[in-house]
Amino acid sequence: MNPLRYTAFPTPNGGGNPAGVVLDASSMDAAEMLSLAGELGYSETAFLFPRTEREYAIRYFSPKAEVDFCGHATVAAAVALAEKQLGAGDVLLSSNVGEIPVAVAVGEHGLRATLTTVTPATAALEALPELCETLGWSAQDLHPTLPHSLAFGGLWHPILWARSRQRLARLDYDFEALRALMLREGWGTVSLLFRDSPALIHSRNAFPIGGVVEDPATGAAAGALGGLLRAADLLPEDGCFTVLQGEDMAQPCLLEVDTSGEGGVRVSGTARSIPAE
């Protein structure tokens, strides 16, 4: 099995979040997929199972476990399909959380994929005090008016807003304690944010359950965030905003989020093939 390697959500100047892609995993079982994801060492690898020419089942594995949904690996897989087999156009991916339509088009910086999440949801973040203690955040570190909440766009993510960009830049938490809390609560990542403006949000996503301290780009969390901001009426007039993630890791990533209309949230970005070493 020769997996493809792509980096998703790069900025025009580089960066991005690496993902593995297997275009036809029909012969693989879960143990083999987990083993391959561990060998690659990326936060997620996408495994595709062809159904029709433009319909696929998709599964995602981190080095530690299967993940029900992953945005950056979805973008990587859709661009890989377009480059290697299908060309630009629409593809329908059936994940563990439901159907994920993806549109791939030729853009200014190469192929650009736009995924649409399942219908988003929000819930109260009952574990906020415990989460803050685990992260080493005090009440003074939290933004006083933005909603600290749970948000869903395929996975549940706690959403915490930092009072300052400087606070967001400091990420030093108890890895095992946060991992245990996330497993107990069923969270996908922990989304830590600073709102520069309604149209520009800086993001960091802790991902210890995936075996890494931080994920450079998290499309699932960006989609969930879009649903939360739509529900809270905190969006620009056109319903669109940009998420900058991975900046503090020297892996800058650019995610464009469109919450206009109803139903799923659209998350867009490019992906580029990583040359073989």
Side-chain angles (χ1 to χ4, degrees):
M1 185 62 62
N2 295 313
L4 303 173
R5 295 165 171 83
Y6 275 74
T7 186
F9 297 118
T11 71
N13 297 318
N17 191 4
V21 178
V22 176
L23 294 180
D24 188 348
S26 300
S27 65
M28 301 182 72
D29 61 24
E32 291 170 325
M33 288 185 276
L34 180 62
S35 176
L36 180 57
E39 290 175 18
L40 289 174
Y42 298 146
S43 58
E44 274 97 5
T45 295
F47 297 85
L48 294 164
F49 302 82
R51 290 181 172 175
T52 67
E53 183 181 4
R54 289 190 172 269
E55 294 185 8
Y56 293 76
I58 188 167
R59 295 176 71 178
Y60 311 92
F61 283 80
S62 79
K64 295 293 185 182
E66 184 169 10
V67 179
D68 285 337
F69 176 57
C70 172
H72 87 274
T74 298
V75 167
V79 170
L81 279 172
E83 287 187 344
K84 303 298 183 182
Q85 296 181 5
L86 303 179
D90 296 342
V91 63
L92 182 63
L93 304 178
S94 296
S95 73
N96 288 351
V97 300
E99 292 186 343
I100 309 295
V102 188
V104 181
V106 178
E108 180 181 358
H109 301 288
L111 290 175
R112 175 181 173 88
T114 299
L115 67 86
T116 301
T117 71
V118 296
T119 301
T122 63
L125 180 52
E126 303 290 352
L128 177 59
E130 186 177 356
L131 175 57
C132 286
E133 181 179 358
T134 303
L135 290 169
W137 284 37
S138 70
Q140 288 70 39
D141 292 323
L142 299 174
H143 193 282
T145 60
L146 293 173
H148 310 290
S149 178
L150 289 175
F152 175 83
L155 300 174
W156 283 101
H157 307 265
I159 305 291
L160 270 64
W161 299 92
R163 186 184 291 266
S164 69
R165 180 65 181 89
Q166 291 73 24
R167 183 62 188 90
L168 185 65
R170 304 195 309 273
L171 183 63
D172 181 17
Y173 65 86
D174 185 324
F175 188 92
E176 290 301 328
L178 184 57
R179 181 177 182 274
L181 177 60
M182 293 176 70
L183 288 171
R184 189 192 80 196
E185 297 292 328
W187 297 338
T189 67
V190 174
S191 189
L192 308 171
L193 307 165
F194 173 72
R195 193 185 196 215
D196 194 279
S197 73
L200 178 60
I201 294 171
H202 299 268
S203 174
R204 303 188 76 171
N205 279 77
F207 190 42
I209 60 169
V212 296
V213 171
E214 182 177 1
D215 201 16
T218 317
L225 173 62
L228 172 64
L229 294 178
R230 182 167 64 189
D233 196 23
L234 288 170
L235 290 163
E237 187 173 343
D238 64 359
C240 299
F241 62 93
T242 297
V243 174
L244 293 178
Q245 192 176 333
E247 300 166 290
D248 298 290
M249 304 174 64
Q251 287 179 246
C253 297
L254 180 66
L255 300 83
E256 301 288 350
V257 184
D258 180 357
T259 71
S260 59
E262 299 179 352
V265 172
R266 290 169 293 284
V267 181
S268 300
T270 60
R272 300 171 186 164
S273 177
I274 299 174
E277 296 181 357

